[in-house]
Amino acid sequence: MLKFENIRKVFGDNEVLKSVSLEVPTGKVVVILGPSGSGKTTLLRCGNYLEPPTSGIVQLDDIIIDQKKYSKKQLKQLRENCTMVFQNYNLFKNKSALENVMEGLIIVKKVKKNEAREIAEKYLNKVGLGDRMDFYPSQLSGGQLQRVGIARAMAMEPKVILFDEPTAALDPELVDDVLEVMKSVAEAGMTMAVVTHEMQFAREVADEVVFMAEGYVVEKGNPEDVFTHPQHERTKQFLARVR
Ligand code: ADP
């Protein structure tokens, strides 16, 4: 399981996360909701130390990273096992879809090129891009680019995938394709933490929804409870606006 324990994050004099604790149990999907600026992305980025917390502990199974004390080896283990899907895809423009997916396998996991190619092909097929492997980012739609992003995150065969508003940059007609792929990843048993504004996805796929505001976890629970009986005023206001 991925566990955040008392995570604080300060940028300058802006305390963006104020002691956030959260668990993403193995095989479960946790969707993080909340208004813009509440710290959702920052929390996810602390999850794989793209953004080191100011204090607190990130734990992924037996990898325990205390901000006060951790080794390079632990950090590498965390990053290999906790991959991320970004809002803006973060693909290399000068590499094909296949090369983008192979890159992390070769550079980070030191997998041999032929094997990396096989693994990359397998995951590009899983996201429905078997016929687009040699295309470059400029030749792909937003939805296809994000599916490459998902294939890249899966190809590392991590313990958990973090999704940071994966459909936020897409034209509306391309959103469903990407949500369908995410749903299939969830159904295959992947542990997922997902920041999204897609309420229908949260309702259908999440095992737990977490509502954040102003750097705190305000409320969490199963989707049905949180959506139909939100407890806190802040959650009620947010849900009333996004519905
Ligand atoms: P959300 O994902 O809920 O919209 P974010 O985590 O993106 O919220 O941002 C929370 C706050 O942290 C915002 O006020 C944002 O300006 C600030 N912030 C995020 N990243 C940085 C950074 N790298 N440097 C300074 N401030 C940042």
Side-chain angles (χ1 to χ4, degrees):
M1 116 167 92
L2 176 68
K3 192 168 162 188
F4 297 87
E5 214 177 302
N6 299 326
I7 298 293
R8 262 186 87 234
K9 178 69 188 183
V10 180
F11 290 112
D13 54 7
N14 186 5
E15 191 178 18
V16 170
L17 297 174
K18 298 160 182 154
S19 197
V20 173
S21 297
L22 190 71
E23 288 174 10
V24 187
T26 303
K28 302 289 184 193
V29 178
V30 172
V31 167
I32 304 169
L33 306 173
S36 178
S38 55
K40 305 178 301 294
T41 292
T42 304
L43 181 68
L44 273 198
R45 291 170 67 88
C46 286
N48 70 349
Y49 258 66
L50 265 181
E51 200 67 80
T54 305
S55 62
I57 297 173
V58 174
Q59 178 173 1
L60 180 58
D61 295 341
D62 55 353
I63 312 162
I64 302 175
I65 304 213
D66 183 337
Q67 185 278 329
K68 292 197 288 292
K69 187 176 177 292
Y70 61 89
S71 66
K72 269 192 177 161
K73 185 175 165 218
Q74 284 178 304
L75 192 57
K76 184 170 183 291
Q77 285 177 331
L78 177 73
R79 289 190 169 147
E80 280 182 31
N81 283 293
C82 185
T83 56
M84 189 132 178
V85 174
F86 300 90
Q87 182 174 338
N88 292 314
Y89 330 121
N90 283 13
L91 299 176
F92 293 108
K93 292 190 172 52
N94 59 344
K95 289 185 192 295
S96 68
L98 185 71
E99 289 164 343
N100 265 287
V101 179
M102 289 169 65
E103 182 78 5
L105 292 165
I106 294 169
I107 304 290
V108 181
K109 280 188 119 176
K110 313 286 180 210
V111 173
K112 291 213 166 60
K113 208 169 171 181
N114 281 345
E115 197 190 334
R117 182 182 298 275
E118 270 177 37
I119 298 170
E121 285 174 355
K122 172 173 143 189
Y123 286 99
L124 281 164
N125 274 314
K126 274 192 199 287
V127 300
L129 291 175
D131 58 348
R132 295 283 190 281
M133 299 206 202
D134 296 325
F135 284 46
Y136 284 81
S138 63
Q139 301 169 308
L140 297 169
S141 72
Q144 290 168 339
L145 293 171
Q146 193 55 293
R147 285 190 276 150
V148 177
I150 295 171
R152 176 181 57 183
M154 290 166 77
M156 295 291 283
E157 298 180 340
K159 291 178 186 240
V160 54
I161 303 181
L162 310 172
F163 292 80
D164 184 18
E165 299 200 34
T167 60
L170 298 176
D171 291 336
E173 71 273 20
L174 302 176
V175 168
D176 285 349
D177 265 9
V178 170
L179 293 179
E180 273 308 309
V181 169
M182 288 169 62
K183 207 167 153 184
S184 71
V185 177
E187 280 163 1
M190 178 54 76
T191 309
M192 297 164 53
V194 184
V195 172
T196 185
H197 293 289
E198 295 294 334
M199 297 299 146
Q200 192 56 33
F201 176 85
R203 261 180 193 269
E204 274 177 37
V205 183
D207 294 289
E208 182 173 68
V209 296
V210 173
F211 179 74
M212 282 183 70
E214 290 152 30
Y216 290 105
V217 171
V218 173
E219 177 162 359
K220 59 185 169 183
N222 77 53
E224 209 42 47
D225 285 348
V226 174
F227 285 120
T228 46
H229 307 291
Q231 297 297 307
H232 291 262
E233 206 43 48
R234 201 73 188 73
T235 320
K236 288 179 193 169
Q237 287 169 4
F238 176 79
L239 291 175
R241 251 187 290 123
V242 295
R243 266 180 190 144

